[in-house]
Structures are given as C-alpha cells and as structure tokens.
C-alpha cells in the first residue's frame, strides 16, 4: 500500500501572526515555522496504516525552502521519502492554486491513500482535502476520527456536530484526520539520524506541468483588498467575588438583556 | 435584481438558524434563492419563504443523500451554470466549506471562507488570526463563492414567494465514490450546536475534572446555551474533544460567551474572542482572559457559577 501524507509548514501556533503590508499575505519570514499541528496526526495515521499493511509513506509538502524542516520532521517520525513542491512562483497561492499544484504532484504516482490534517492552523480554510479529491476524482473521506483499512476498502468515522457519520470508499482515496485521532509519535534520535539519508525529491512548477499563471499571488482568484488590526475590545469591569459574584454576573446579564 | 444562491443547512427539513442569517444577508446583496438538498423539503420551504427566499430550488433524489459533500457541490454547479447568480453563499460549517471548495474547482471560481460580513459589492470581511486582524477580500474570478460564519448576521424574517423549483442532477462517478452508510448521534441532550449557539458556556483547567463540568453544564442549560471546553480540559479527557473551542478546535462567535476557569492562552482566545459579550470567572486575577472580558469575577467558579445558575433560574421564573 502506497500512502502519501501531505504536510504544511505554518507559523508556530503560539506566535503572533502578521500580514505583509506589500503582498497582503501571511508574513512567513518573521516567525518560526513548525509542522501544522493537525498534520502530525496525519503523519501518525499514515505510519500506523503503513505498518499494518506493509506499506510505504511518502511525505508531500508545498512550501518555500524553509519548509524542508517540516519535511524532515515527517521523515524523522518514520516516513520513507518525500516530495517537496518548491517554486518561487507558488508564493501567495490561494487554495485553488495550492490544490492544483498538490494534485499534480500526487497524480499518477499510484497512491492508494492521500492523508491530510483536517485544516492548517494559519489559513484555517479546511478546503484543500476536498479540492484535491475533486481534482483527482477519487473518494473523499474527510474529518475522520477513525480510519479502518481492509484491502481496498476504507471506512472512516466522519466527525459531525451531532456525533459521526460512517463513510466508506475504495482506494484511491483522500482522507483527512481530526485532532486526537491518535497520539503522534516523537521522532527518535535514530529516526532523526535516518531522516537525513532519506530521499527528498524537489519538484518545480515546470516539472508538474503547471502554468505559472494558474498559481501564486497573480493566479489567485481571490485577493485581500485591505486589512487592519481589529479594534481592541473596550475594557470591561472586573470585580472580586465577595460571596455575591454569581448575583453580580446575573445583574450584568440582566442589563444586557440576556436574562 | 441579481440572484444570490444560499445553500440550506438543515436536518431532514428542520432548517438551521445560520441559513436564515444567510437569507437575511443575501437580501442586502440581491434576491435570495434557497438551495435545498435532501429530505423534508415541504417543511423547509415554509420556513425559507418566511425568511425571504423568493425561490427554493429542491434536489431531493435519493442518491444525493447517499454520498457526503460532493452531491451538494454538483447541484450548486448546475444552478450556477443555469441561473448565472451573482454569488453563492454557504454556511461556514465543516461540510459547508468542503462543498465550497469542490464547487470552486468545478466551476472555476474563487472562494472565500469564514466571512463575517459581505458588502453590497461582494467584498467579504473576515476576522483572522483569532480575531486580531480584520481583512476585506474579494473574489476576482468567476461567481464568488463565500462561506459565512454562523452568528454573523441577524435573522430578519420577511415574507417571500418561496416558489419551489425542482432540480435534478446526474451525479458524476467521482461524487459517488464515498458513501455514507450510517449516521450516529451522540450529542449531549437538547443543547444547541456549539458553533451555532447564541450562548456558549465553557470550562477549562480550573474546572478540575470531568465531574466539575456538571457545574458548567448546569449554567449552560439554565441559559439555553451550548457547552464548550478549552484544550487543557479536552486534552485531560474531562470533556469530549469535539467541544474544544480554540485554534485547533471550533471557532465560535456567540452573542454571549462565559469562560469558567480558563486562563485565556492565545490557543483558546483564537476560537472565541469575536464573541459579542464575554463573561469571565477565574480565581487568578492575572489570567489573560480578563483582558477581553466585558464583565469578570475573580473568584472560585464552584461558588460563583452555581450561584449564577440559581439566579438565572429565579429571574427567568
């Protein structure tokens, strides 16, 4: 079984993120990059499925050279090899451009499963897995909090507002996983050393047959017109409980017409 | 007037509030038409007509329900091709965003997710980085597809024709490749859905354990609100993960958010700081969550919260 796991380097979850005044896109240079937290669950799921089905795991990532750190992390967790989609022309791509480049990098490689985290912690659109499934014309099995693979049959529990839906499909399939589906492993020292020798293929737009006009900031079909810091919230009232804290909140809620 | 398509979010014809918000918003942009996919159209049409839907497109063939996400995108794609609407509005839920994504690829249009407002010229406002930055964006290609967050617009009913127009689509093979075989409900009682609720009551580390959440739940129930939890509480296993509010969980923007025993790390604030009114109960006066509180009480939540619950019960009679 051949499994692709797509990972994205994002600004550290705890860092303050900024938009660049010129391009009006996320300033990725001024903050530390980390593997998108939700992608760690995707890597773990890919490794577990590969271990149970004598499969191989290929890391696929689109991003600038700096994203190599995230690719290496996935390799040090145990993935076998990587494809790094890297091209200056991709900077500023919208979700359509990103999904196009990823789909081109993934197609024709014989992947049975393509696993994503359910969203990135920077853009938080949560649309790339669905877009890639649409582009590749394969089963979309997304927002999984459980994945079972039996031969070519894949069954997931799709997390919903009310519980979950059981959704099935056949390989090849796109899967996205939610937080807490598993417990991502930490890279071992041995894993970190081994990762340095694992093959990473770097591919550019021309290798993918993607026209530069279809991606990047210029090829985006939506654009930021303007942005500004949100106005700070007006300072509120803070009191210390003197045995009547609950009553005081109720008074406040009454004045605001909540009760 | 330009036609604006609004995808209806519903459960077997019971229309969700976010749909009515979108119909209200759509009226400021053009003439709203609702797009209903699934069972229960008759019940839904009445509600949609009362909320301004001039037309209700209905796609209720059995095979549309067998497969998640893709059929809705294919129904919308057909309507965009046939009717040339000015925009497509979709509730910004997990599924809604996926429908928007597939639709964008299908019809070659730009997509904006998680809008909190839309101007008459279809410029969308988004609140990003956990509410710290306000962005105005515009789709430059095709028919703008915009997903809109729940609680972004009021609901203002106005009677309209609600004329039913049946739509049939031949699903593509790729739309049939994933099949829903079972729907399992494990929701907690009759509480509203977290992302849609007008009132959310949350608990964090200060709740101290799973049993402590009964205090939080009691307050939520007295107010008719949903229950949320911080990552510290879900990571500790005190409350189910799907109720996590924060950067890696749900984003909520209710009228009222009550944070109990939550310190207010950026991880949590990112998921709730666009709430209209924020109440905080925390015994640590230095907790950063007090910075965004409209009203805060420094005290033990196990005395303050039950007292508040009792007061709410009394005042509601």
């Amino acid at each position: 079984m051949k499994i692709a796991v797509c990972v994205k380097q994002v600004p550290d979850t705890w860092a303050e993120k900024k938009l660049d005044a010129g391009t009006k896109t996320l300033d990725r240079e001024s903050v530390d990059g980390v593997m998108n937290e939700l992608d760690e669950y995707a890597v773990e799921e890919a490794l577990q499925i590969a271990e149970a089905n004598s499969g191989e795991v290929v890391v696929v990532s689109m991003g600038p050279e700096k994203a190599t750190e995230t690719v290496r992390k996935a390799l040090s967790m145990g993935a076998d090899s990587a494809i790094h989609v890297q091209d200056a022309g991709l900077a500023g791509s919208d979700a359509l451009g990103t999904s196009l480049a990823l789909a081109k990098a993934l197609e024709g490689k014989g992947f049975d499963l393509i696993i994503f985290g359910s969203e990135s912690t920077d853009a938080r659109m949560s649309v790339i897995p669905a877009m890639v499934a649409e582009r590749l014309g394969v089963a979309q099995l997304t927002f999984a909090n459980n994945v079972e693979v039996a031969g070519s049959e894949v069954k997931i529990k799709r997390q919903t507002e009310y519980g979950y839906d059981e959704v099935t499909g056949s390989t090849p399939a796109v899967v996205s996983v939610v937080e807490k589906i598993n417990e991502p492993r930490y890279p071992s020292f041995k894993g970190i050393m081994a990762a340095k020798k694992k093959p990473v293929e770097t591919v550019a737009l021309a290798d993918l047959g993607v026209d530069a006009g279809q991606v990047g900031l210029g090829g985006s079909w939506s654009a930021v017109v303007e942005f500004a810091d949100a106005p700070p919230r007006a300072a509120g009232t803070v009191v210390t409980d003197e045995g009547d804290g609950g009553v005081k909140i109720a008074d406040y809620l009454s004045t605001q017409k909540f009760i | 007037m330009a036609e604006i398509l609004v995808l209806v979010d519903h459960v077997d014809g019971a229309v969700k509030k976010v749909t009515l918000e979108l119909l209200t918003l759509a009226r400021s942009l053009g003439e709203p038409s609702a797009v209903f996919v699934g069972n229960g159209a008759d019940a839904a049409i009445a509600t949609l007509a009362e909320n301004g839907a001039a037309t209700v497109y209905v796609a209720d063939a059995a095979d549309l329900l067998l497969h998640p996400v893709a059929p809705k995108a294919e129904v919308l794609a057909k309507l965009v091709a046939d009717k040339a609407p000015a925009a497509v509005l979709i509730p910004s839920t997990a599924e809604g965003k996926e429908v928007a994504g597939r639709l964008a690829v299908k019809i070659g249009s730009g997509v904006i997710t998680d809008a909190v407002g839309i101007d008459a010229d279809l410029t969308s406002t988004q609140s990003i980085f956990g509410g710290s930055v306000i962005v105005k964006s515009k789709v430059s290609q095709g028919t703008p597809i915009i997903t809109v967050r729940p609680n972004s617009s009021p609901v203002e009913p106005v009677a309209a024709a609600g004329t039913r127009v049946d739509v049939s689509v031949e699903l593509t093979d790729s739309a049939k490749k994933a099949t829903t075989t079972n729907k399992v409900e494990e929701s907690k009682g009759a509480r509203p859905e977290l992302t849609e609720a007008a009132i959310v009551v949350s608990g964090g580390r200060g709740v101290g354990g799973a049993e402590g959440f009964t205090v939080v739940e009691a307050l939520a129930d007295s107010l008719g609100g949903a229950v949320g939890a911080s990552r510290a509480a879900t990571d500790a296993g005190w409350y189910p993960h799907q109720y996590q509010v924060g950067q890696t969980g749900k984003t909520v923007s209710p009228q009222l958010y009550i944070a109990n025993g939550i310190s207010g790390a950026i991880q949590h604030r990112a998921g709730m700081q666009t709430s209209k009114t924020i109440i905080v109960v925390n015994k640590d006066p230095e907790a950063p969550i007090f910075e965004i509180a409209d009203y805060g009480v420094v005290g033990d939540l196990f005395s303050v919260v039950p007292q508040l619950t009792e007061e709410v019960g009394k005042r509601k009679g």
Side-chain angles (χ1 to χ4, degrees), chain B residues 30-161:
Chain B
E31 186 174 70
S33 293
V35 181
F36 183 94
V37 182
N39 288 330
D42 290 339
I45 287 169
T47 309
L48 298 167
E50 284 162 18
N51 285 277
T55 304
V56 181
Y57 296 108
V58 176
D60 57 2
D63 63 341
L64 297 176
L65 300 177
L66 292 175
H67 313 288
V69 187
K72 288 181 177 142
E74 299 199 346
V75 169
L76 287 170
K78 180 177 165 58
L79 286 169
V80 169
D82 292 352
K83 310 291 174 188
V88 180
L89 308 189
I90 298 176
S92 215
T93 59
E95 187 190 59
K97 293 205 276 187
E98 292 194 315
V99 170
R102 292 191 76 118
L103 178 63
V105 170
K106 233 174 241 304
I107 66 174
S109 286
V111 58
I112 288 171
T113 59
D114 290 309
V116 294
I118 306 176
D119 298 343
D121 71 347
L122 298 174
T123 301
S124 300
T125 304
Q126 292 162 294
S127 165
I128 65 164
F129 304 155
S132 62
V133 177
I134 305 293
V135 169
K136 296 237 179 203
S137 302
K138 210 164 172 184
V139 168
S140 54
Q141 171 82 28
T143 305
I145 303 165
I146 304 168
T147 78
V148 184
R149 275 198 190 149
N151 291 317
S152 297
S153 174
V155 175
E156 290 162 4
V158 57

Side-chain angles (χ1 to χ4, degrees), chain A residues 31-70:
Chain A
V31 286
D32 285 341
V34 297
M35 184 193 294
N36 175 41
E37 269 190 68
L38 293 166
D39 295 347
E40 294 182 18
Y41 299 93
V43 174
E44 179 63 36
E45 199 63 23
L47 293 172
Q48 288 186 13
I49 294 169
E51 282 156 10
N53 296 275
S54 47
E56 66 161 306
V57 176
V58 181
V59 180
V60 178
S61 189
M62 176 181 130
E65 194 190 352
K66 201 176 162 189
T68 309
E69 301 154 17
T70 287

Side-chain angles (χ1 to χ4, degrees), chain B residues 73-261:
Chain B
E74 299 199 346
V75 169
L76 287 170
K78 180 177 165 58
L79 286 169
V80 169
D82 292 352
K83 310 291 174 188
V88 180
L89 308 189
I90 298 176
S92 215
T93 59
E95 187 190 59
K97 293 205 276 187
E98 292 194 315
V99 170
R102 292 191 76 118
L103 178 63
V105 170
K106 233 174 241 304
I107 66 174
S109 286
V111 58
I112 288 171
T113 59
D114 290 309
V116 294
I118 306 176
D119 298 343
D121 71 347
L122 298 174
T123 301
S124 300
T125 304
Q126 292 162 294
S127 165
I128 65 164
F129 304 155
S132 62
V133 177
I134 305 293
V135 169
K136 296 237 179 203
S137 302
K138 210 164 172 184
V139 168
S140 54
Q141 171 82 28
T143 305
I145 303 165
I146 304 168
T147 78
V148 184
R149 275 198 190 149
N151 291 317
S152 297
S153 174
V155 175
E156 290 162 4
V158 57
T163 309
R164 175 176 178 145
V165 177
D166 286 287
V167 181
S168 65
V169 291
E170 182 84 20
L171 289 183
T172 63
D173 286 342
S174 84
K176 297 181 196 161
K177 285 186 173 167
T179 303
T180 304
T181 54
N182 194 16
K183 287 179 178 286
V184 179
E185 278 196 41
E186 43 182 33
S187 70
K188 299 196 135 196
R191 288 190 195 114
E193 282 177 12
L194 182 53
T195 46
E196 225 192 42
I199 297 177
V200 174
V201 182
S202 281
R205 196 184 300 275
V207 173
E211 58 290 345
F213 264 90
T214 53
V215 171
V216 175
E217 290 180 331
L219 177 57
D221 292 341
S222 75
L223 290 163
V227 175
S230 73
R231 185 165 175 182
T234 57
D235 272 2
W238 301 343
Y239 217 68
H241 167 67
Q242 63 262 39
Y243 296 94
Q244 187 202 318
V245 172
Q247 186 154 30
T248 56
K250 301 263 163 62
T251 300
V252 300
S253 194
Q255 298 297 320
L256 174 63
Y257 189 91
I258 305 181
N260 302 291

Side-chain angles (χ1 to χ4, degrees), chain A residues 16-174:
Chain A
E16 194 178 331
K17 295 185 264 286
K18 295 241 179 282
L19 289 177
D20 180 89
T23 63
K24 300 194 181 84
T25 61
L26 179 60
D27 179 355
R28 296 180 187 277
E29 290 303 315
S30 67
V31 286
D32 285 341
V34 297
M35 184 193 294
N36 175 41
E37 269 190 68
L38 293 166
D39 295 347
E40 294 182 18
Y41 299 93
V43 174
E44 179 63 36
E45 199 63 23
L47 293 172
Q48 288 186 13
I49 294 169
E51 282 156 10
N53 296 275
S54 47
E56 66 161 306
V57 176
V58 181
V59 180
V60 178
S61 189
M62 176 181 130
E65 194 190 352
K66 201 176 162 189
T68 309
E69 301 154 17
T70 287
V71 169
R72 287 287 169 201
K73 177 167 180 183
L75 292 172
S76 66
M77 286 172 76
D80 299 289
S81 62
I83 299 170
H84 185 171
V85 182
Q86 186 187 330
D87 195 300
L90 285 164
S93 293
D94 63 1
L96 287 144
T98 302
S99 65
L100 176 66
L102 283 175
K104 291 286 182 191
L106 290 160
E107 77 180 357
K109 300 234 165 36
F111 289 118
D112 299 293
L113 289 177
I114 299 166
I115 305 182
F116 289 84
S118 57
E119 71 176 45
S120 65
T121 56
D122 53 358
R124 302 202 64 184
M125 287 182 77
S126 231
V127 296
I128 297 290
M131 284 181 166
V132 169
E134 171 74 34
R135 289 189 187 280
L136 296 177
V138 303
Q140 178 193 326
L141 305 170
T142 47
F143 289 98
N145 60 25
N146 182 266
V147 181
E148 285 173 38
V149 178
S152 63
E153 283 301 301
V154 187
K155 184 173 172 182
I156 66 152
K157 288 181 178 171
R158 174 179 169 87
Q159 190 174 292
T160 62
E161 291 286 346
Y162 48 80
Y164 62 89
D165 288 350
E166 287 173 354
V167 183
T168 60
S170 300
T171 56
V174 165

